[in-house]
Protein backbone atom coordinates (compact mmCIF):
# COMPACT_ATOMS: atom_id res chain seq x y z
CA UNK A 1 0.00 0.00 0.00
CA UNK A 2 1.05 3.55 -0.61
CA UNK A 3 -0.27 7.02 0.04
CA UNK A 4 0.88 10.57 -0.47
CA UNK A 5 0.19 13.70 1.57
CA UNK A 6 0.73 17.20 0.16
CA UNK A 7 0.81 20.44 2.11
CA UNK A 8 -1.81 22.87 0.76
CA UNK A 9 -0.97 25.95 2.82
CA UNK A 10 -1.76 26.92 6.39
CA UNK A 11 -2.02 23.56 8.12
CA UNK A 12 -4.18 21.90 5.44
CA UNK A 13 -3.02 18.74 3.70
CA UNK A 14 -4.32 16.67 0.80
CA UNK A 15 -3.96 12.94 1.26
CA UNK A 16 -4.14 10.73 -1.82
CA UNK A 17 -4.45 6.98 -1.49
CA UNK A 18 -2.67 4.49 -3.69
CA UNK A 19 -6.01 3.81 -5.35
CA UNK A 20 -6.24 7.48 -6.37
CA UNK A 21 -8.82 8.79 -3.89
CA UNK A 22 -8.21 12.05 -2.06
CA UNK A 23 -9.20 13.60 1.24
CA UNK A 24 -8.38 16.94 2.83
CA UNK A 25 -7.11 17.00 6.42
CA UNK A 26 -6.70 20.00 8.71
CA UNK A 27 -4.03 20.35 11.36
CA UNK A 28 -5.87 23.31 12.94
CA UNK A 29 -8.08 21.16 15.15
CA UNK A 30 -10.47 20.40 12.32
CA UNK A 31 -11.39 23.98 11.43
CA UNK A 32 -11.72 23.37 7.67
CA UNK A 33 -11.62 19.58 7.33
CA UNK A 34 -11.24 16.53 9.57
CA UNK A 35 -8.08 16.50 11.66
CA UNK A 36 -5.68 13.56 11.29
CA UNK A 37 -6.88 12.18 14.65
CA UNK A 38 -10.51 12.44 13.53
CA UNK A 39 -9.51 10.54 10.40
CA UNK A 40 -8.16 7.75 12.62
CA UNK A 41 -11.53 7.49 14.36
CA UNK A 42 -13.40 7.48 11.06
CA UNK A 43 -10.97 4.84 9.75
CA UNK A 44 -11.52 2.46 12.64
CA UNK A 45 -15.30 2.91 12.43
CA UNK A 46 -15.44 2.37 8.68
CA UNK A 47 -13.07 -0.63 8.79
CA UNK A 48 -15.16 -2.30 11.46
CA UNK A 49 -18.41 -1.36 9.71
CA UNK A 50 -17.28 -3.15 6.55
CA UNK A 51 -16.88 -6.31 8.61
CA UNK A 52 -20.15 -5.98 10.54
CA UNK A 53 -22.28 -5.25 7.47
CA UNK A 54 -20.63 -8.03 5.45
CA UNK A 55 -21.04 -10.59 8.23
CA UNK A 56 -24.69 -9.64 8.78
CA UNK A 57 -25.42 -9.84 5.06
CA UNK A 58 -23.81 -13.30 4.88
CA UNK A 59 -26.01 -14.31 7.84
CA UNK A 60 -29.00 -13.19 5.72
CA UNK A 61 -29.98 -10.50 8.20
CA UNK A 62 -32.18 -7.87 6.58
CA UNK A 63 -29.96 -4.95 7.51
CA UNK A 64 -31.02 -1.56 6.18
CA UNK A 65 -28.73 0.82 8.05
CA UNK A 66 -25.56 0.63 10.08
CA UNK A 67 -24.09 3.56 11.96
CA UNK A 68 -21.17 3.71 14.36
CA UNK A 69 -20.95 6.33 17.08
CA UNK A 70 -17.27 6.61 18.00
CA UNK A 71 -16.05 8.27 21.17
CA UNK A 72 -12.45 8.59 22.26
CA UNK A 73 -10.27 9.95 25.03
CA UNK A 74 -6.83 11.44 24.47
CA UNK A 75 -3.84 11.88 26.75
CA UNK A 76 -3.47 15.34 28.29
CA UNK A 77 0.24 15.50 27.43
CA UNK A 78 2.07 15.66 24.13
CA UNK A 79 1.84 13.46 22.21
CA UNK A 80 -1.93 13.50 22.75
CA UNK A 81 -2.43 9.88 21.74
CA UNK A 82 -5.74 8.08 22.09
CA UNK A 83 -6.03 6.31 25.43
CA UNK A 84 -9.43 4.78 24.73
CA UNK A 85 -11.78 4.38 21.79
CA UNK A 86 -15.34 3.10 21.99
CA UNK A 87 -17.36 2.05 18.94
CA UNK A 88 -21.13 1.76 19.38
CA UNK A 89 -22.87 0.12 16.40
CA UNK A 90 -26.50 0.98 15.72
CA UNK A 91 -27.95 -1.58 13.32
CA UNK A 92 -31.38 -1.06 11.78
CA UNK A 93 -33.39 -3.59 9.82
CA UNK A 94 -36.22 -6.07 9.77
CA UNK A 95 -36.13 -8.94 12.27
CA UNK A 96 -32.44 -8.45 13.03
CA UNK A 97 -31.29 -11.06 15.54
CA UNK A 98 -29.23 -9.49 18.33
CA UNK A 99 -27.03 -12.58 18.57
CA UNK A 100 -26.01 -12.10 14.92
CA UNK A 101 -25.07 -8.46 15.56
CA UNK A 102 -23.17 -9.41 18.71
CA UNK A 103 -21.26 -12.09 16.78
CA UNK A 104 -20.50 -9.71 13.88
CA UNK A 105 -19.17 -7.00 16.20
CA UNK A 106 -17.06 -9.53 18.13
CA UNK A 107 -15.61 -11.06 14.96
CA UNK A 108 -14.71 -7.63 13.66
CA UNK A 109 -13.10 -6.64 16.96
CA UNK A 110 -11.20 -9.88 17.53
CA UNK A 111 -10.38 -11.17 14.05
CA UNK A 112 -11.06 -8.99 11.03
CA UNK A 113 -10.74 -5.22 11.55
CA UNK A 114 -7.08 -4.46 10.89
CA UNK A 115 -7.39 -0.87 12.11
CA UNK A 116 -9.07 -1.76 15.39
CA UNK A 117 -6.69 -4.63 16.10
CA UNK A 118 -3.66 -2.47 15.26
CA UNK A 119 -4.86 0.36 17.52
CA UNK A 120 -5.76 -2.14 20.23
CA UNK A 121 -2.06 -2.88 20.71
CA UNK A 122 -1.69 0.50 22.47
CA UNK A 123 -5.22 1.82 23.01
CA UNK A 124 -8.15 0.38 24.96
CA UNK A 125 -10.69 -0.29 22.18
CA UNK A 126 -14.19 -1.33 23.23
CA UNK A 127 -17.35 -2.14 21.29
CA UNK A 128 -21.08 -2.18 21.94
CA UNK A 129 -24.21 -2.33 19.80
CA UNK A 130 -27.92 -1.74 19.67
CA UNK A 131 -30.52 -3.01 17.24
CA UNK A 132 -33.37 -0.85 15.99
CA UNK A 133 -36.40 -2.14 14.11
CA UNK A 134 -37.03 -0.71 10.70
CA UNK A 135 -39.55 2.13 10.36
CA UNK A 136 -40.83 0.60 7.14
Amino acid sequence: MRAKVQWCGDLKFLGTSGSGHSVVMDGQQGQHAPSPMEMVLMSVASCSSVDVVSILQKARQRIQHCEVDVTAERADAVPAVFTSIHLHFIVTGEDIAEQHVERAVKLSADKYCSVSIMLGATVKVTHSFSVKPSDM
Side-chain angles (χ1 to χ4, degrees):
M1 294 185 96
R2 293 183 60 113
K4 184 184 294 186
V5 174
Q6 276 181 288
W7 177 45
C8 300
D10 294 325
L11 288 178
K12 288 183 268 184
F13 299 85
L14 177 67
T16 304
S17 67
S19 59
H21 300 281
S22 298
V23 63
V24 175
M25 294 170 280
D26 184 1
Q28 296 179 14
Q29 299 165 342
Q31 260 182 341
H32 303 285
S35 72
M37 293 300 276
E38 289 172 323
M39 294 293 290
V40 171
L41 293 181
M42 290 188 287
S43 293
V44 69
S46 60
C47 179
S48 196
S49 293
V50 167
D51 300 332
V52 169
V53 168
S54 177
I55 292 165
L56 289 174
Q57 288 175 330
K58 287 176 184 169
R60 294 194 169 92
Q61 295 297 290
R62 296 188 333 211
I63 181 174
Q64 296 169 339
H65 186 75
C66 180
E67 181 177 317
V68 184
D69 184 18
V70 187
T71 54
E73 298 292 326
R74 292 179 72 181
D76 290 330
V78 174
V81 298
F82 287 121
T83 56
S84 67
I85 299 172
H86 181 74
L87 292 85
H88 180 75
F89 291 83
I90 304 156
V91 177
T92 305
E94 294 180 38
D95 301 320
I96 302 291
E98 284 199 17
Q99 67 265 24
H100 282 292
V101 178
E102 180 177 28
R103 178 179 175 271
V105 169
K106 184 167 177 37
L107 281 170
S108 177
D110 296 343
K111 185 174 181 180
Y112 293 117
C113 179
S114 303
V115 178
S116 179
I117 293 166
M118 178 179 63
L119 290 172
T122 58
V123 179
K124 180 182 178 187
V125 181
T126 56
H127 301 75
S128 62
F129 70 91
S130 57
V131 176
K132 289 174 44 178
S134 173
D135 292 337
M136 299 177 135

